[in-house]
Amino acid sequence: MSIREIILSPEEAFGESRFTTSIYQKLGVKQDGDQWVRPLKRSIDARGKKIIVRVQCEVIPTAEKGPLITYTKNYPDVRHKPTVVIVGSGPAGLFAALRLMEFGIKPVILERGADVRARRRDLAAINKEHIVNPDSNYCFGEGGAGTYSDGKLYTRSKKRGDVTRIMEILVAHGAKEEILFDAHPHIGTNKLPKLIEEIRKSILEAGGEIHFNTRVTDFILTDSHISGVKTLSGETFTGEAVILATGHSARDIFELLYARKILIEQKPFALGLRVEHAQQLIDRIQYHCPVDRGHYLPASSYSLVHQAQVNGQQRGVFSFCMCPGGFIVPSATAPGEVVVNGMSPSRRDSRFANSGIVVSVDETDFKPFARYGPLAGVHFQSAIEKQACLSAGGTQVAPAQRLVDFVERKVSTSLLDTSYQPGLASVDLAAILPGFIGESLRQGFKNFGSKMKGYLTNEAQVVGVESRTSSPVRIPRDKETLEHPQVKGLFPCGEGAGYAGGIVSAAMDGERCAEAVCLKIGVNMRK
């Protein structure tokens, strides 16, 4: 076995019919011969004038060739096994359920929103009629916020779990094999619903339960021990433990925890705007191409960071959830607020590129909301979202400015075409954002314009507000047992609890919590 790196052209690397043949040819290995080649990593190198693609490959004797993935969907029947209640069906909840089943535990998932197919009607209502369903929207529903997103699978949280295992589970449920070796893998919003449906199928066929349109409204507590939950319809669900995997926008759950005197804490997060450029412009900057990137190169992305100085304090300004060839979408979870996020289809073939550009905020910034205790960050977030809605007319129309106009503090006399379906209104965004955030963003955009020539242009625009980057609350848990320090049997999990930041890290945290539950209830883990 040996690992070798080869260099391919974009045509060779991304032409589906050419990729496999090209890597064998470059390595001088015969296809269907004595050796088998498995790609390990594929990454674009755009540092020179000529774009190349670097591919690391593993060359293995054919006799030693194993399966591409080792993970198999072979779950035991858990219909009559001990039960664990999981609140939320995002990546954390779904992967917790799969892991529990592997150890012979029955998961019962409670999801406040609709299944992926029914959820589309609620998304259409937001986009076309400006109607926000508080239980089923871009944040809530089967698969969580990740279902209707770019489907980014890149994570830096390599120490929190087995990234390869998560990727293999996704492939086993229908994801393309290329996510196993692409440097920045993604699935795409058009492909994710089918994959989520396949995971649902695995859970149901093994005897697990998933209850949609089932909002949790209370906990069943006895002497600091949780035995289950109550729902809006009056039902109760009990189990050996409760995994709380609600996502970063479940404000009612944060309020419930606080009302029930269950310890929660403020947590720093980030807030800002979403910037939208023509994808062709970003391609020209990143790929050095005079006109367009051509047929084979994927839509280019970027990652930017700057340390702004505002009122004598350093503020991190950075790009977040960059969506090449994507769309800006309305991510409000209640009427009377405007929140924006980004998503991309698998082909990333929209003519727009968008990215959150956000500023770090912490507990000192929430002082005007101190009366809300650990929920101060939630109310800070909410106040800005409500002001964004009010300033743009009270619907899902979003406030916006051309980029240079924003930097120069001018109200735009006109706006550009946009991918944001509900529409835009020209508004002075400085009237919505706290002063330190606006000034940090202005400094950041100037810096980004110096790093990427052509980025700072009035042929781009900023749209508000990008406020749901991560949870403003952390639900504490023991570092070893992952159990809440006050409430036995409660396992805070994923992004909503403050322990993840994306699909893969949330999935890994779901698995960790499932394993912690198994240890807690004495399950044999040698499987």
Side-chain angles (χ1 to χ4, degrees):
M1 181 193 305
S2 65
I3 296 176
R4 296 165 60 183
E5 182 176 277
I6 57 174
I7 294 174
L8 300 179
S9 68
E11 293 84 352
E12 292 169 328
F14 296 108
E16 287 189 18
S17 61
R18 296 184 61 179
F19 179 58
T20 301
T21 301
S22 296
I23 59 176
Y24 274 86
Q25 286 177 345
K26 288 289 174 94
L27 291 167
V29 175
K30 290 183 179 180
Q31 280 185 267
D32 303 321
D34 296 331
Q35 292 178 304
W36 176 60
V37 177
R38 176 177 180 171
L40 299 176
K41 185 177 181 181
R42 177 172 65 181
S43 57
I44 297 171
D45 187 341
R47 290 173 293 181
K49 288 186 177 181
K50 186 177 180 181
I51 309 296
I52 60 173
V53 181
R54 298 183 182 276
V55 182
Q56 289 182 357
C57 300
E58 188 177 37
V59 182
I60 303 169
T62 302
E64 298 176 18
K65 177 182 175 181
L68 187 65
I69 63 172
T70 58
Y71 188 86
T72 57
K73 297 190 293 181
N74 185 24
Y75 306 105
D77 189 322
V78 296
R79 283 169 179 79
H80 305 294
K81 299 296 184 180
T83 296
V84 168
V85 176
I86 300 172
V87 184
S89 72
L94 291 175
F95 276 75
L98 294 177
R99 192 64 170 149
L100 286 171
M101 293 194 312
E102 290 177 18
F103 292 114
I105 300 295
K106 178 182 177 178
V108 175
I109 299 177
L110 308 180
E111 169 55 55
R112 68 189 297 164
D115 64 78
V116 286
R117 291 186 183 275
R119 192 176 170 191
R120 288 173 180 157
R121 293 193 292 271
D122 298 314
L123 302 187
I126 298 174
N127 280 302
K128 296 175 182 178
E129 302 168 45
H130 302 252
I131 297 171
V132 180
N133 181 336
D135 287 319
S136 186
N137 43 62
Y138 276 98
C139 290
F140 300 146
E142 187 178 19
T147 302
Y148 294 98
S149 71
D150 186 65
K152 292 178 184 64
L153 302 177
Y154 179 71
T155 181
R156 293 185 177 90
S157 306
K158 307 263 165 106
K159 294 180 180 178
R160 297 185 186 178
D162 188 343
V163 175
T164 300
R165 174 184 158 83
I166 300 301
M167 297 299 190
E168 289 198 0
I169 293 172
L170 292 170
V171 171
H173 286 91
K176 283 191 172 183
E177 294 170 356
E178 62 194 31
I179 70 169
L180 299 171
F181 56 81
D182 272 335
H184 290 85
H186 74 106
I187 295 176
T189 189
N190 56 319
K191 303 285 187 182
L192 278 161
K194 178 62 178 172
L195 190 150
I196 296 298
E197 286 179 329
E198 287 299 312
I199 293 177
R200 183 211 307 165
K201 184 178 176 182
S202 287
I203 293 169
L204 295 180
E205 286 182 346
E209 295 180 16
I210 304 178
H211 300 267
F212 296 112
N213 304 304
T214 304
R215 190 203 303 179
V216 169
T217 56
D218 203 0
F219 305 126
I220 302 172
L221 296 168
T222 307
D223 297 329
S224 298
H225 180 272
I226 190 167
S227 58
V229 298
K230 297 178 182 179
T231 71
L232 185 63
S233 65
E235 289 181 278
T236 60
F237 292 87
T238 60
E240 301 290 324
V242 174
I243 295 177
L244 196 60
T246 57
H248 59 44
S249 291
R251 290 171 174 169
D252 56 336
I253 293 295
F254 299 149
E255 296 276 2
L256 173 61
L257 289 161
Y258 187 49
R260 294 291 247 133
K261 296 181 170 52
I262 297 172
L263 182 65
I264 57 175
E265 303 166 344
Q266 294 183 39
K267 185 181 76 62
F269 60 104
L271 188 146
L273 303 169
R274 190 152 281 265
V275 64
E276 184 171 62
H277 291 81
Q279 181 62 52
Q280 192 175 63
L281 171 64
I282 301 301
D283 289 339
R284 288 204 300 268
I285 296 171
Q286 297 295 76
Y287 289 150
H288 334 294
C289 51
V291 182
D292 60 54
R293 66 181 185 268
H295 182 67
Y296 291 99
L297 278 171
S300 62
S301 62
Y302 59 82
S303 178
L304 295 166
V305 64
H306 175 65
Q307 292 297 322
Q309 291 283 344
V310 181
N311 301 326
Q313 183 178 349
Q314 258 195 356
R315 294 276 183 181
V317 184
F318 55 94
S319 56
F320 170 82
C321 184
M322 197 274 150
C323 295
F327 303 88
I328 300 178
V329 296
S331 292
T333 52
E337 62 189 31
V338 167
V339 182
V340 294
N341 197 0
M343 72 178 194
S344 297
S346 59
R347 294 179 65 86
R348 290 179 166 175
D349 53 1
S350 159
R351 60 190 178 96
F352 298 101
N354 71 77
S355 178
I357 304 295
V358 294
V359 179
S360 300
V361 296
D362 60 31
E363 291 88 339
T364 60
D365 301 314
F366 312 150
K367 285 183 179 177
F369 301 91
R371 64 188 180 279
Y372 297 107
L375 298 175
V378 175
H379 288 270
F380 170 84
Q381 202 181 45
S382 177
I384 296 170
E385 295 166 359
K386 289 175 180 175
Q387 184 59 36
C389 182
L390 187 65
S391 71
T395 66
Q396 284 303 295
V397 170
Q401 271 176 284
R402 293 202 187 207
L403 180 54
V404 174
D405 288 346
F406 170 75
V407 171
E408 296 181 353
R409 302 171 187 268
K410 298 176 183 176
V411 176
S412 300
T413 56
S414 65
L415 296 172
L416 303 162
D417 286 345
T418 180
S419 64
Y420 183 73
Q421 197 171 342
L424 303 177
S426 180
V427 170
D428 180 6
L429 291 167
I432 298 169
L433 299 170
F436 73 89
I437 291 181
E439 178 56 28
S440 298
L441 288 171
R442 283 187 282 273
Q443 291 183 27
F445 282 124
K446 288 177 183 178
N447 176 267
F448 300 160
S450 68
K451 292 174 177 175
M452 293 176 62
K453 302 299 181 183
Y455 182 92
L456 182 56
T457 172
N458 246 6
E459 292 306 303
Q461 56 198 359
V462 282
V463 181
V465 288
E466 172 77 58
S467 52
R468 308 286 179 95
T469 55
S470 65
S471 177
V473 167
R474 176 173 286 108
I475 308 171
R477 67 189 190 190
D478 184 272
K479 288 184 179 180
E480 298 299 324
T481 66
L482 307 189
E483 194 173 29
H484 191 277
Q486 289 179 336
V487 181
K488 300 307 175 188
L490 180 63
F491 291 79
C493 183
E495 244 183 280
Y499 300 102
I503 292 172
V504 173
S505 60
M508 289 193 294
D509 200 58
E511 290 210 324
R512 287 184 67 211
C513 285
E515 291 164 6
V517 168
C518 289
L519 284 172
K520 166 80 175 179
I521 63 180
V523 173
N524 179 9
M525 301 283 285
R526 295 178 183 176
K527 297 183 182 181

